[in-house]
Amino acid sequence: MARFDLQNIDAGHVGGTAETDILFEMGIMYATGRDCAVDHVAAHKWFNIAAIKGSERAAELRAELVKTMTKADLATAMREAREWMTTH
């Protein structure tokens, strides 16, 4: 299981824009189960969107998360990210 060290995450350096920071934080929320159940599909989705918007740290965490996911879960996460990007 992927382990995310929250002490090493500096939100001010994840992507540069407030929107990207929020997307990154959504990924952290689902990856760690902060105020919700752990959901790797949702975490990957939000890290993927934040990475597309320029967050290098989100891209790193997304790559780490992929190592723990099934192909079906990965496909679901990518589909959900595409759907979100086309509607927002």
Side-chain angles (χ1 to χ4, degrees):
M1 177 175 282
R3 182 180 173 284
F4 296 94
D5 187 357
L6 296 178
Q7 294 175 347
N8 292 330
I9 295 172
D10 181 4
H13 292 79
V14 296
T17 69
E19 178 187 29
T20 304
D21 290 350
I22 291 167
L23 296 167
F24 177 82
E25 287 297 322
M26 292 289 291
I28 291 295
M29 182 181 79
Y30 284 107
T32 63
R34 185 189 323 153
D35 298 327
C36 65
V38 171
D39 183 340
H40 289 163
V41 171
H44 185 282
K45 168 189 167 180
W46 294 114
F47 285 146
N48 194 26
I49 295 167
I52 289 166
K53 301 247 182 207
S55 172
E56 291 179 23
R57 185 67 178 135
E60 292 167 4
L61 293 177
R62 176 189 61 193
E64 188 67 28
L65 193 58
V66 166
K67 297 175 187 176
T68 68
M69 298 175 70
T70 66
K71 288 182 181 182
D73 284 345
L74 181 58
T76 300
M78 292 174 69
R79 182 178 56 253
E80 289 180 7
R82 276 192 308 274
E83 289 171 0
W84 190 91
M85 291 291 291
T86 59
T87 59
H88 293 91

